[in-house]
Amino acid sequence: MAELKITLWNKVKNLHPFSRKFLIQWISLFCFCCLIIISCSPDKTRNISPSSYSNNGRITIGTTLKLRTLDPADAYELMSGNMLYNLGDRLYDYELGTNQLIPKLATALPTISPDGLTYTIPLREGVTFHDGTPFNAAAMEFSIQRFIQNAGSPSSLLADTVDTVQATGDYELTIKLKQPFSAFTSLLAFSGLAAVSPQFYEIGEGKFKPNEFVGTGPYKLQSLGIDVIRLDAFENYWGEKPANTGIDIQRFSSSSNLFNAFRSGAIDIAYLSLNPDQISNLKQGAEKGNWQLIAANGNTISYLMLNVKSEPLNQKEVRQAIAALINRSVINERVLQNQGENLYSLIPTTFSDYQPSFNVQYGDGNLEKAKQLLNQAGYTPENPATVEVWYASNSSNKGFLGLTLKALAERDLGGLLDLQLNSVESTTAFKYLEEGIYPTFVLDWYADFLDADNYIQPFLECSKGSAETGCEKGSSQYQGSFYYSDRMNQLIAKERQEQNPQARKAIFEEIQKLLAEDVPYIPLWQDKTFVFAKNGIENIRLQLTQQIPFWTIKNSNS
């Protein structure tokens, strides 16, 4: 498995940054699902007993998430984001449980020039790094320059946007953009933009420190083991002191081992990833008072990509018919065991910009409309529209989704639509996605930062193409939909420059209406995040980014 992951990562580094993010997610999912299959027996790597943990005010968190790196300039996975969120500080953060930006290492929101290009940011004084180095504007400039110049997985987030970064005072940072970007302040809250010590790190392409971290956050890295990561509360932290003395993160090889460890009381908290059956079981235990359930809407979305250049999906009526066929309530019940939320836009419901455009346009399971559209496109029971539905072979949920959609089409559309199910390993899926091999694909997306733009531009923008040829270069090509629309490109450019929130919201509303009309993607569901904790473990808060602030957690039993 280790050799496989190394080989895959070497290939990933040569991909476009956007494709790289998707492939990293699929590699992580592939490895996770393989481990589920081979790890049905108890975990042989470590014998865990309740007495090994939860002492001296420490909290033990169990997870199956894998950690590839702790270097913020190269970290693009959920586990890395969680670690960096607690080990480091960024210029801005989100108010707990919301997407409301608040200053962190900054002391106020930035002052933005009238042309939207220059951001002047006042910085906090009296902050020190874990190695004792003072934090100032020069250190923040170093951290951002390193993020860009070391050319790690997420570097394009800033490299494509930022022109210059300069310390214009001891505690003042000035950033100039290449073009206006109204979501830039939100981007500065990305976990990888944590300040790092200039005395410990260096700037240079590929110069990473994957197993170490020196930042300014409420925790410092005590040890990074194969099975356990230990974080100690940072005694000189400038902000709110942690309510615990430290965090022990126990990594499990499978969801079954995580499930059993929590039920046996070996860990305090179980957080990602449990399968739907295990979640249902633990929810029943929580209802009986055996332990606690903390649930919240996340911002991970699942959707069906439609290749608008592939027959018969090059006919808009066929794409619209599939959108009308989708019955999200049935999918949520049969596939997700009611552990998701129906989604009618690519923008999650947790954003004020969300508009249920697909519900307005098609309803849910609107069979008459689906039949009408297929007839309008010239299809009959004798000559049905044949559409391949592709999904990752290592995802049971996606397989169940495919079976459900096929059953609905066969039962309710009178032979007008023939859905043919196909699967491929996620490790090879994205090699061909942007080449247009797949007419459809069931995919997931979690945002880099909490702004509606991050659910629109990476899907719908196209820098080169035409309505006739489709997208030849740009985001929609990388996604595999090849969608091109002059109007959509204009709207995206407009929302990225608009500084007025209400005016920008109106633009997003028009974008979502056009998305539902053209149907290059069909939104399916939005994930919910479930955390289970022992009774007596208090103040567990879930951020919309799926990150947990460790510093609020307290063990009242210790």
Side-chain angles (χ1 to χ4, degrees):
M1 180 64 70
E3 292 178 357
L4 173 62
K5 291 171 74 175
I6 291 170
T7 300
L8 292 171
W9 177 242
N10 287 334
K11 294 180 179 180
V12 167
K13 291 191 293 185
N14 296 321
L15 295 178
H16 185 281
F18 186 80
S19 299
R20 195 158 60 221
K21 174 180 177 179
F22 275 113
L23 189 50
I24 288 169
Q25 294 172 5
W26 281 110
I27 290 171
S28 299
L29 181 59
F30 170 73
C31 296
F32 162 64
C33 291
C34 287
L35 287 168
I36 288 178
I37 295 171
I38 65 175
S39 303
C40 295
S41 60
D43 199 325
K44 299 178 181 178
T45 62
R46 175 177 292 268
N47 293 321
I48 304 168
S49 65
S51 61
S52 302
Y53 301 95
S54 303
N55 53 70
N56 300 322
R58 298 183 70 86
I59 305 294
T60 303
I61 300 174
T63 185
T64 63
L65 296 179
K66 308 304 173 186
L67 181 67
R68 181 181 60 84
T69 182
L70 280 176
D71 195 311
D74 196 35
Y76 221 165
E77 299 91 352
L78 185 57
M79 182 62 171
S80 297
N82 262 291
M83 297 296 295
L84 294 173
Y85 181 69
N86 289 280
L87 287 167
D89 291 318
R90 296 137 302 282
L91 289 168
Y92 299 99
D93 197 359
Y94 300 103
E95 188 75 50
L96 290 180
T98 77
N99 57 6
Q100 183 67 43
L101 282 168
I102 56 174
K104 196 74 171 180
L105 289 177
T107 58
L109 293 176
T111 299
I112 306 172
S113 62
D115 62 5
L117 292 176
T118 302
Y119 286 63
T120 304
I121 303 170
L123 301 183
R124 191 174 299 279
E125 300 183 35
V127 177
T128 59
F129 288 97
H130 298 156
D131 63 357
T133 303
F135 168 81
N136 53 27
M140 196 68 234
E141 176 189 334
F142 170 87
S143 301
I144 295 177
Q145 292 284 14
R146 182 177 184 271
F147 182 90
I148 297 171
Q149 295 181 36
N150 284 35
S153 301
S155 61
S156 62
L157 290 174
L158 289 191
D160 296 341
T161 305
V162 171
D163 186 18
T164 62
V165 182
Q166 186 177 4
T168 49
D170 289 344
Y171 293 96
E172 181 184 87
L173 188 73
T174 300
I175 303 175
K176 292 186 178 180
L177 308 186
K178 296 177 181 178
Q179 58 274 325
F181 183 31
S182 53
F184 184 68
T185 307
S186 295
L187 176 53
L188 292 175
F190 175 62
S191 59
L193 290 173
V196 295
S197 171
Q199 300 301 316
F200 185 76
Y201 293 91
E202 58 182 323
I203 293 177
E205 185 171 349
K207 292 183 177 180
F208 301 120
K209 291 181 179 289
N211 301 318
E212 302 172 277
F213 182 81
V214 178
T216 66
Y219 294 91
K220 57 185 179 181
L221 183 65
Q222 194 268 333
S223 64
L224 178 60
I226 296 175
D227 297 326
V228 180
I229 306 170
R230 301 192 189 280
L231 312 181
D232 289 342
F234 179 35
E235 61 276 8
N236 295 323
Y237 186 57
W238 62 268
E240 177 187 350
K241 299 295 191 291
N244 52 73
T245 59
I247 301 291
D248 297 325
I249 300 173
Q250 174 71 44
R251 293 185 286 176
F252 292 91
S253 61
S254 71
S255 63
S256 59
N257 290 327
L258 172 61
F259 174 76
N260 291 329
F262 179 75
R263 284 184 58 91
S264 69
I267 56 177
D268 297 317
I269 297 170
Y271 171 65
L272 293 180
S273 297
L274 296 164
N275 68 40
D277 287 335
Q278 292 162 348
I279 291 173
S280 294
N281 182 292
L282 292 180
K283 285 175 71 174
Q284 294 173 11
E287 291 170 359
K288 297 176 182 177
N290 296 338
W291 43 73
Q292 303 174 72
L293 164 64
I294 301 94
N297 287 332
N299 279 299
T300 299
I301 65 170
S302 294
Y303 59 95
L304 179 65
M305 176 278 293
L306 304 179
N307 183 341
V308 301
K309 294 176 63 176
S310 173
E311 293 185 1
L313 297 171
N314 55 351
Q315 300 179 77
K316 184 161 66 173
E317 292 85 359
V318 176
R319 303 196 301 272
Q320 291 176 332
I322 296 173
L325 168 69
I326 299 295
N327 190 320
R328 292 164 182 81
S329 297
V330 171
I331 291 171
N332 196 9
E333 178 182 355
R334 295 184 184 179
V335 178
L336 305 176
Q337 298 189 33
N338 294 314
Q339 293 170 17
E341 180 180 3
N342 295 349
L343 186 64
Y344 299 94
S345 170
L346 290 178
I347 299 175
T349 62
T350 45
F351 288 82
S352 61
D353 300 304
Y354 169 78
Q355 294 289 329
S357 54
F358 275 77
N359 196 22
V360 173
Q361 181 86 356
Y362 305 104
D364 230 9
N366 191 337
L367 305 176
E368 291 306 314
K369 188 175 186 70
K371 292 177 182 178
Q372 178 186 358
L373 287 164
L374 289 168
N375 285 327
Q376 187 177 329
Y379 293 100
T380 65
E382 295 74 30
N383 177 39
T386 301
V387 177
E388 295 179 2
V389 177
W390 286 81
Y391 55 89
S393 57
N394 45 281
S395 171
S396 58
N397 273 2
K398 304 304 188 297
F400 292 150
L401 171 67
L403 291 171
T404 300
L405 295 180
K406 182 175 179 65
L408 290 173
E410 291 177 348
R411 187 190 70 181
D412 298 326
L413 293 185
L416 292 172
L417 179 64
D418 177 19
L419 297 182
Q420 299 182 351
L421 305 184
N422 296 276
S423 63
V424 62
E425 288 186 356
S426 57
T427 52
T428 60
F430 290 96
K431 179 179 179 181
Y432 300 107
L433 189 63
E434 61 188 72
E435 295 181 16
I437 300 298
Y438 306 113
T440 71
F441 215 105
V442 183
L443 298 165
D444 300 315
W445 173 263
Y446 67 89
D448 302 309
F449 55 95
L450 294 183
D451 187 271
D453 174 83
N454 204 231
Y455 292 89
I456 295 298
Q457 185 272 338
F459 292 87
L460 299 168
E461 186 179 59
C462 180
S463 57
K464 180 182 177 182
S466 67
E468 292 73 30
T469 64
C471 186
E472 299 172 28
K473 182 179 180 181
S475 298
S476 67
Q477 178 219 348
Y478 304 140
Q479 278 269 15
S481 76
F482 296 86
Y483 173 68
Y484 182 90
S485 165
D486 281 331
R487 181 56 182 158
M488 184 64 79
N489 285 337
Q490 293 167 8
L491 288 169
I492 292 173
K494 190 175 179 182
E495 64 85 2
R496 294 194 125 205
Q497 297 181 44
E498 181 58 62
Q499 297 292 335
N500 183 289
Q502 291 305 313
R504 194 163 179 252
K505 185 175 183 177
I507 300 171
F508 278 123
E509 182 174 356
E510 187 173 351
I511 286 174
Q512 290 170 93
K513 287 181 180 178
L514 184 57
L515 168 66
E517 173 66 25
D518 290 348
V519 202
Y521 311 92
I522 301 175
L524 299 172
W525 69 81
Q526 179 177 333
D527 282 357
K528 290 184 178 180
T529 304
F530 297 93
V531 178
F532 296 92
K534 285 181 180 179
N535 292 325
I537 304 297
E538 302 175 352
N539 298 327
I540 300 175
R541 308 289 296 272
L542 282 170
Q543 290 287 61
L544 296 181
T545 55
Q546 292 188 296
Q547 294 163 339
I548 294 180
F550 296 159
W551 62 87
T552 67
I553 305 174
K554 179 181 179 181
N555 188 347
S556 63
N557 298 319
S558 61

